[in-house]
Amino acid sequence: MIIVLKSGSTQSDIDYIKEKLHAKGLKVHVSQGEERTIIGAIGDERILREAALAAYPAVEAVLPILKPFKLASRDFHKEDTRIKVGDAIIGSDDVIVIAGPCSVETREGLLEVARSVKKSGAKLLRGGAFKPRSSPYAFQGLGEEGLKYLAEARDETGLKIVTELMDPRDAELVDKYADIIQIGARNMSNFNLLKEVGKMRKPVLLKRGLSSTVKEWLMSAEYILDEGNMEVILCERGVRTFETETRNTLDLSSVPLVQSMSHLPIIVDPSHAVGRADLVAPMSMAAVAAGTDGLLIEVHENPEEALCDGPQSLRLGDFASLMKSLRSLAKALGREL
Ligand code: PEP
Ligand code: MN
């Protein structure tokens, strides 16, 4: 918050305001210009409003300091950002569903999933070729071979592709195949990687970090926007809490919260949030009720055999049923799916 004092204010005016701010536990910076004195107050701005400083006679104006995530903020851009990928518009009245396996494993398996989710109404296909695994001994992905299978699935079904980039050294390669570049939760604070995708001219799906606040997440988006790439899609995928029955805790409040703070679209990934297939459908419904712009759902042709995230992956038939329910819900809410 910046407090601008009227010209002719005295030292006792300044001291009075400083005292008020210090009493609220705020840090105070005084800048005395030739004509004006400006007092910067650093701390919780809600406390400042209570201080009702604007009513003090020596105060000319009380102005908020522009948010640290300027470009991502609604102050900067009032209208919702809409991102067009193929014939899907993310950030519109349509609920956009992105579905597919955690990782690309086999050509046949991927094609089977792609055909099936397309039939069920998914608009985009997901699949990792570079996997951020917690263990270095776990399956790390097929690399370029996986990207080629994704491209083949796109050619056949028309579904656009979402795939993860983990390393700036693979940026050119992933850019060659992907329609949306995913930045995983573990890389939300990998600022060099964020700058790299900021230089690309391709939508970026930015997952929320494992233990990141909404503000930190928006600051990460800011890194991408600051490089000139304005097409950022935020993805809520749950955060770590004390709960152990679910893999993470799905913070659905972040959907309306982000929509109030930012113009960027936000989608929800219930699969990584809950970590178990039986909870994916109810949380998908809840996410649509909360106003999400879309969903990212893991689907596998044979979850028992999946090399990655099998327990949270939906079977093809279960995904088809979920899509039916989602369609009815979207309709009731005046949206399309
Ligand atoms: C994924 O989408 O497969 C993934 C690894 O997700 P997250 O980064 O959210 O854990
Ligand atoms: Mn996964």
Side-chain angles (χ1 to χ4, degrees):
M1 199 68 86
I2 292 170
I3 298 142
V4 184
L5 301 191
K6 287 178 183 160
S7 59
S9 306
T10 62
Q11 186 59 44
S12 71
D13 290 324
I14 297 168
D15 291 342
Y16 177 81
I17 291 167
K18 274 174 73 177
E19 232 175 72
K20 285 264 177 207
L21 297 171
H22 279 142
K24 296 275 177 195
L26 297 162
K27 274 196 212 153
V28 181
H29 295 272
V30 180
S31 148
Q32 260 168 319
E34 272 186 27
E35 295 197 10
R36 286 274 189 286
T37 299
I38 291 172
I39 302 176
I42 312 295
D44 188 344
E45 296 191 353
R46 285 171 302 177
I47 297 170
L48 251 183
R49 248 176 252 126
E50 285 166 28
L53 285 161
Y56 185 64
V59 173
E60 184 167 285
V62 180
L63 309 166
I65 295 172
L66 284 178
K67 294 188 184 74
F69 48 91
K70 293 188 198 95
L71 301 173
S73 114
R74 277 255 182 231
D75 299 342
F76 170 75
H77 194 278
K78 296 268 179 259
E79 294 79 36
D80 292 346
T81 285
R82 293 164 163 241
I83 298 174
K84 193 170 180 326
V85 186
D87 56 8
I89 301 176
I90 303 166
S92 65
D93 282 343
D94 296 354
V95 179
I96 305 300
V97 178
I98 305 168
C102 178
S103 59
V104 179
E105 295 166 10
T106 62
R107 178 180 168 274
E108 292 69 28
L110 183 71
L111 286 172
E112 189 183 343
V113 171
R115 288 177 194 129
S116 178
V117 299
K118 160 93 183 183
K119 210 166 142 220
S120 301
K123 290 282 185 330
L124 292 100
L125 177 68
R126 64 147 289 148
F130 296 97
K131 294 305 303 175
R133 304 306 299 275
S134 300
S135 163
Y137 308 118
F139 176 58
Q140 305 285 312
L142 293 180
E144 185 167 13
E145 189 187 348
L147 295 173
K148 285 185 174 156
Y149 296 157
L150 283 166
E152 190 182 341
R154 172 178 52 204
D155 289 346
E156 191 194 305
T157 61
L159 293 171
K160 299 289 180 187
I161 290 166
V162 183
T163 197
E164 180 161 351
L165 171 67
M166 285 174 57
D167 186 329
R169 289 169 295 188
D170 296 321
E172 212 174 301
L173 177 67
V174 174
D175 192 28
K176 203 167 111 191
Y177 294 93
D179 298 296
I180 296 181
I181 294 173
Q182 178 171 321
I183 298 295
R186 290 155 193 81
N187 274 319
M188 188 207 84
S189 303
N190 183 340
F191 302 116
N192 287 332
L193 184 62
L194 298 177
K195 285 185 198 166
E196 196 65 36
V197 294
K199 292 192 186 90
M200 295 179 178
R201 292 297 167 262
K202 191 160 280 185
V204 176
L205 191 150
L206 177 64
K207 290 217 169 182
R208 182 176 180 176
L210 304 176
S211 303
S212 299
T213 65
V214 167
K215 249 189 203 154
E216 287 162 344
W217 188 17
L218 290 171
M219 290 299 293
S220 287
E222 192 77 12
Y223 267 92
I224 302 170
L225 302 172
D226 189 42
E227 292 290 336
N229 187 347
M230 302 309 282
E231 297 197 307
V232 177
I233 303 153
L234 299 162
C235 179
E236 167 64 53
R237 45 79 74 207
V239 288
R240 285 220 163 139
T241 66
F242 48 80
E243 182 54 71
T244 54
E245 292 298 317
T246 50
R247 185 172 175 181
N248 292 290
T249 296
L250 180 55
D251 177 14
L252 275 185
S253 64
S254 75
V255 173
L257 178 62
V258 161
Q259 286 168 343
S260 72
M261 294 166 84
S262 176
H263 53 89
L264 297 172
I266 174 167
I267 69 165
V268 171
D269 168 357
S271 308
H272 291 87
V274 296
R276 37 190 280 187
D278 62 329
L279 302 183
V280 169
M283 296 324 285
S284 299
M285 298 288 274
V288 171
T292 187
D293 291 308
L295 293 163
L296 181 81
I297 299 175
E298 285 190 342
V299 179
H300 197 280
E301 76 283 8
N302 185 6
E304 288 83 7
E305 300 291 323
L307 295 177
C308 184
D309 289 348
Q312 69 196 32
S313 299
L314 295 189
R315 289 170 203 288
L316 302 175
D318 292 336
F319 176 72
S321 316
L322 170 59
M323 288 296 277
K324 271 195 195 140
S325 310
L326 287 170
R327 197 164 289 122
S328 308
L329 175 60
K331 205 167 166 213
L333 293 167
R335 303 183 66 190
E336 295 279 324
L337 184 134

